[in-house]
């Protein structure tokens, strides 16, 4: 197993002590620094105290469920979130318009799979600088991407995106004429052979479309039936 080069804090929020112990052990072996919370309210307090680099969040918990925890975390920042779900039919809610989680794992799961997904998300966030600086830009129509600052804008107004959403949009904008299959998007984001479903990509695309539609962009991403996605003209039409 490849160890994380720098200690990164991962907050595990789950009411099952066995799951917390299992994940904490696996994350610690991977060179990460796990901290734990047994319910949603405690998870929010721990997030405030430890400022984790990533949160692993169970959906079904007493006192405050994971969906509400995610909503509150999103109001304070863009900390990456990986959801633990007991039912596959919850995934559209998890990755959907309101929440915008970065990834998910359905129970029962392999601790190695969770660690792999955590490391993939952290590799993407590690590329972000500590502050926004002038640097490389991508522009297409009314869309602008600040690659060094990890900032997306429509007509100069920032559109808040998760790490995964920005990564997908950056990929599409890098070759606006190219149609990317779902598998190609997964390979570019996570590396070849990474186990993730097409539904995950579709959910992130829906999320991107909704966020930009709110800003006036109705033509951000085009769907090519049976093939995949490409960047739209980004004219606002």
């Amino acid at each position: 197993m490849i160890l994380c080069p720098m200690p990164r804090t991962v907050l595990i929020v789950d009411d099952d002590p066995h799951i917390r112990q299992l994940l904490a052990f696996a994350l610690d072996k991977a060179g990460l620094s796990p901290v734990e919370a047994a319910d949603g309210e405690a998870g929010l307090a721990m997030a405030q105290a430890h400022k984790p680099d990533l949160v692993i969040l169970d959906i079904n918990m007493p006192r405050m469920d994971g969906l509400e925890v995610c909503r509150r975390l999103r109001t304070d920042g863009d900390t990456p979130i990986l959801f633990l779900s007991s039912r596959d039919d919850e995934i559209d809610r998890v990755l959907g318009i309101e929440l915008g989680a970065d990834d998910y794992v359905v129970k029962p799961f392999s601790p190695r799979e969770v660690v792999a997904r955590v490391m993939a998300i952290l590799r993407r966030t590690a590329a972000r600088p500590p502050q926004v600086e002038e640097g490389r830009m991508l522009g297409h129509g009314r869309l602008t991407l600040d690659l060094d600052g990890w900032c997306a804008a429509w007509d100069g107004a920032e559109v808040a995106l998760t790490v995964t959403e920005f990564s997908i949009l950056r990929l599409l904008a890098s070759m606006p004429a190219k149609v990317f299959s779902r598998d190609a998007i997964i390979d570019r984001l996570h590396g070849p052979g990474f186990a993730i479903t097409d539904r995950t990509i579709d959910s992130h695309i829906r999320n991107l479309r909704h966020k930009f539609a709110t800003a006036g962009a109705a033509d951000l991403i085009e769907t090519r039936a049976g093939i995949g996605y490409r960047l739209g003209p980004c004219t606002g039409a």
Side-chain angles (χ1 to χ4, degrees), residues 1-12 20-36 52-56 80 82 111-126:
M1 180 180 294
I2 299 175
L3 299 183
C4 185
M6 294 179 60
R8 311 289 292 278
T9 301
V10 177
L11 171 60
I12 307 164
R20 295 200 309 273
Q21 183 180 27
L22 196 66
L23 290 178
F25 178 77
L27 293 167
D28 183 68
K29 284 189 65 176
L32 298 164
S33 299
V35 292
E36 304 175 30
D53 298 285
L54 183 143
V55 178
I56 298 176
L82 185 151
R112 292 185 63 181
E113 178 187 5
V114 175
V115 170
R117 293 180 185 274
V118 166
M119 298 296 269
I121 296 171
L122 290 177
R123 280 195 298 271
R124 297 197 297 273
T125 60

Side-chain angles (χ1 to χ4, degrees), residues 83-115:
F83 267 108
L84 303 179
S85 172
S86 58
R87 301 198 315 273
D88 189 60
D89 60 7
E90 290 176 317
I91 298 312
D92 279 339
R93 294 175 66 198
V94 167
L95 295 172
I97 290 169
E98 185 176 2
L99 298 178
D102 291 277
D103 206 346
Y104 74 95
V105 176
V106 177
K107 299 177 182 179
F109 54 77
S110 161
R112 292 185 63 181
E113 178 187 5
V114 175
V115 170

Side-chain angles (χ1 to χ4, degrees), residues 18 27 30 36 48 59 76 86 88 108 121 124 130 132 150-151 158 189 193 219:
H18 174 71
L27 293 167
E36 304 175 30
Q48 288 289 332
I59 292 180
D76 295 331
S86 58
D88 189 60
I121 296 171
R124 297 197 297 273
V132 176
W150 285 69
C151 178
E158 182 176 354
L189 263 60
D219 58 349

Side-chain angles (χ1 to χ4, degrees), residues 33-219:
S33 299
V35 292
E36 304 175 30
D39 58 59
E41 291 182 358
L44 285 175
M46 292 289 281
Q48 288 289 332
H50 292 273
K51 306 298 182 186
D53 298 285
L54 183 143
V55 178
I56 298 176
L57 188 56
D58 185 30
I59 292 180
N60 298 307
M61 292 185 294
R63 302 181 68 180
M64 182 186 298
D65 67 19
L67 302 180
E68 180 59 27
V69 174
C70 181
R71 291 186 187 99
R72 298 194 185 191
L73 288 175
R74 282 284 179 256
T75 63
D76 295 331
D78 60 352
T79 302
I81 294 173
L82 185 151
F83 267 108
L84 303 179
S85 172
S86 58
R87 301 198 315 273
D88 189 60
D89 60 7
E90 290 176 317
I91 298 312
D92 279 339
R93 294 175 66 198
V94 167
L95 295 172
I97 290 169
E98 185 176 2
L99 298 178
D102 291 277
D103 206 346
Y104 74 95
V105 176
V106 177
K107 299 177 182 179
F109 54 77
S110 161
R112 292 185 63 181
E113 178 187 5
V114 175
V115 170
R117 293 180 185 274
V118 166
M119 298 296 269
I121 296 171
L122 290 177
R123 280 195 298 271
R124 297 197 297 273
T125 60
R128 292 186 296 181
Q131 58 184 13
V132 176
E133 301 174 350
E134 292 186 3
R136 298 171 300 146
M137 306 290 289
L138 272 180
H140 185 75
R142 296 159 69 182
L143 171 70
T144 305
L145 299 181
D146 179 351
L147 303 184
D148 293 328
W150 285 69
C151 178
W154 182 264
D155 277 346
E158 182 176 354
V159 179
L161 303 179
T162 68
V163 172
T164 302
E165 290 163 3
F166 185 90
S167 298
I168 292 173
L169 190 56
R170 178 178 61 181
L171 173 61
L172 299 180
S174 68
M175 289 180 276
K178 179 179 175 60
V179 179
F180 289 89
S181 68
R182 293 170 179 83
D183 287 341
I185 294 173
I186 293 168
D187 288 348
R188 295 294 186 95
L189 263 60
H190 299 283
F194 194 83
I196 193 171
T197 68
D198 289 351
R199 285 182 63 190
T200 304
I201 299 301
D202 293 342
S203 293
H204 287 308
I205 294 292
R206 285 197 301 273
N207 208 18
L208 278 165
R209 283 172 168 160
H210 174 78
K211 289 183 175 181
F212 277 88
T214 301
D219 58 349

